[in-house]
Amino acid sequence: MKITLPMMAALTLAFSSPLFAANNILRVAADLSYPPFQYRDTSGKPTGFEIDITNAVCKAVNITCEYVVSSFDAEIPSLMAKKVDFISPLGATEKRRKSIDFSDFIYHIPTKLVARKGSNLQPDAVSLQGKHIAVQQGSIQEMYVNQFWAPKGVDIVMYADQDSIYQDLAAGRLDGALSPGVAVTYGFLNKPEGKDFVLTGPEVRDDKLFSIGSAYGVRKGDEKTQKLLNEGLAKIMADGTWERVKQHYFGDLEMKVTRMEPARVNQ
């Protein structure tokens, strides 16, 4: 079949983001290497807390979500290049707000240091000087350690995904890792390979680097997608769906964020 210039233009429009949304399909960036938040089930299907929440949000506003799998550090570039329509939950930090906008908050989890039992390591540069500490590339934790720990002699080792971090912890190639505490608990500590490890010390926080919660990332100025996601979030919060999904994965752990509008906060 001969493709004319008008036909080519029509095909280009058909696969642009606005028409995807008009056809009730939104493309979601996900890395699927972060159990229990994002991972593949035994059949290879995306699942996990964030996936179930996202599916519920999309269902609440009659949108179909299609997951586009990539590494975590590639998600914001993919959004800005219009390869996806929004990003699955990530920390709504001051730095990220300079590049992208956010939906309302979805949940909060503390950042913690995981280390071998009996090591007595604490999440500070003095305790960790000369130690090999892992972080995931592109994460808030990476920004924190590069600013506060690396200049003081902590050896920072970056990984593309959490699973690789867990493998090297168990193999003894790392002294510890700085990660979201819930992800470590449910993705590593409750498994046989994590039995010799523990979360140690207080929550690691910084008012400028860390947000008070995670939210969907949307392109700057994409108020249509932002509004749609916020509408879906409000619906699943109100009808109890969010709480049911949270209970399924985390039981009574408190994960709600009391302030709900990071996208409208100017910092």
Side-chain angles (χ1 to χ4, degrees), residues 47-79:
T47 190
F49 172 71
E50 292 178 347
I51 302 298
D52 289 357
I53 289 291
T54 301
N55 289 339
V57 166
C58 291
K59 182 178 179 181
V61 290
N62 299 314
I63 290 291
T64 298
C65 289
E66 291 188 348
Y67 293 96
V68 178
V69 182
S70 68
S71 62
F72 180 79
D73 58 346
E75 290 181 342
I76 290 179
S78 293
L79 178 70

Side-chain angles (χ1 to χ4, degrees), residues 15 21 53 73 98 108 119 127 134 142 144 173 175 196 203 218 229 241 248 257 261:
F15 286 95
I53 289 291
D73 58 346
K98 294 177 181 178
H108 167 72
S119 67
S127 177
E142 180 194 3
Y144 181 88
R173 287 186 283 268
D175 297 297
D196 295 326
E203 175 182 356
V218 298
L229 294 172
T241 301
H248 173 73
V257 179
E261 299 179 346

Side-chain angles (χ1 to χ4, degrees), residues 4-265:
T4 64
L5 285 176
M7 289 173 66
M8 186 175 292
L11 286 170
T12 301
L13 285 172
F15 286 95
S16 65
S17 180
L19 196 55
F20 264 108
N23 288 336
N24 294 332
I25 296 174
L26 287 177
R27 299 162 297 171
V28 193
D31 65 14
L32 301 184
S33 63
Y34 215 46
F37 293 93
Q38 302 179 36
Y39 61 101
R40 296 183 188 274
D41 64 16
T42 53
S43 65
K45 182 180 179 182
T47 190
F49 172 71
E50 292 178 347
I51 302 298
D52 289 357
I53 289 291
T54 301
N55 289 339
V57 166
C58 291
K59 182 178 179 181
V61 290
N62 299 314
I63 290 291
T64 298
C65 289
E66 291 188 348
Y67 293 96
V68 178
V69 182
S70 68
S71 62
F72 180 79
D73 58 346
E75 290 181 342
I76 290 179
S78 293
L79 178 70
M80 297 176 73
K82 297 186 178 181
K83 295 178 180 179
V84 296
D85 300 302
F86 69 96
I87 303 174
S88 50
L90 71 166
T93 65
E94 181 178 307
K95 181 179 180 179
R96 287 172 180 159
R97 286 196 188 103
K98 294 177 181 178
S99 301
I100 62 175
D101 287 337
F102 286 91
S103 71
D104 291 340
F105 285 124
I106 304 165
Y107 67 89
H108 167 72
I109 53 173
T111 288
K112 300 278 287 185
L113 177 71
V114 57
R116 191 172 294 273
K117 293 176 181 177
S119 67
N120 297 319
L121 294 179
Q122 293 295 305
D124 61 70
V126 173
S127 177
L128 300 175
Q129 190 172 27
K131 302 297 184 182
H132 307 302
I133 304 300
V135 290
Q136 185 173 1
Q137 291 174 349
S139 67
I140 302 168
Q141 291 76 26
E142 180 194 3
M143 290 187 283
Y144 181 88
V145 297
N146 282 337
Q147 182 169 336
F148 295 107
W149 290 359
K152 296 182 179 180
V154 181
D155 179 35
I156 305 303
V157 188
M158 292 177 285
Y159 288 78
D161 58 76
Q162 284 291 127
D163 286 342
S164 297
I165 292 176
Y166 301 153
Q167 290 169 13
D168 278 6
L169 278 170
R173 287 186 283 268
L174 293 168
D175 297 297
L178 191 67
S179 305
V182 174
V184 173
T185 299
Y186 290 85
F188 181 59
L189 298 182
N190 67 345
K191 296 182 177 181
E193 54 268 33
K195 64 181 177 62
D196 295 326
F197 293 83
V198 66
L199 294 175
T200 180
E203 175 182 356
V204 174
R205 287 206 54 79
D206 179 80
D207 290 341
K208 288 189 175 294
L209 293 181
F210 290 86
S211 72
I212 64 170
S214 293
Y216 295 119
V218 298
R219 272 187 297 279
K220 283 284 187 182
D222 187 1
E223 295 180 0
K224 181 178 180 180
T225 300
Q226 184 186 58
K227 182 178 179 181
L228 201 62
L229 294 172
N230 287 343
E231 181 184 340
L233 276 169
K235 286 182 177 180
I236 70 166
M237 289 283 187
D239 68 13
T241 301
W242 184 94
E243 182 63 27
R244 287 193 295 274
V245 174
K246 192 272 297 181
Q247 281 283 338
H248 173 73
Y249 286 96
F250 305 118
D252 293 330
L253 182 68
E254 182 54 59
M255 295 175 65
K256 279 189 176 179
V257 179
T258 54
R259 199 178 82 201
M260 296 304 294
E261 299 179 346
R264 291 180 280 281
V265 175

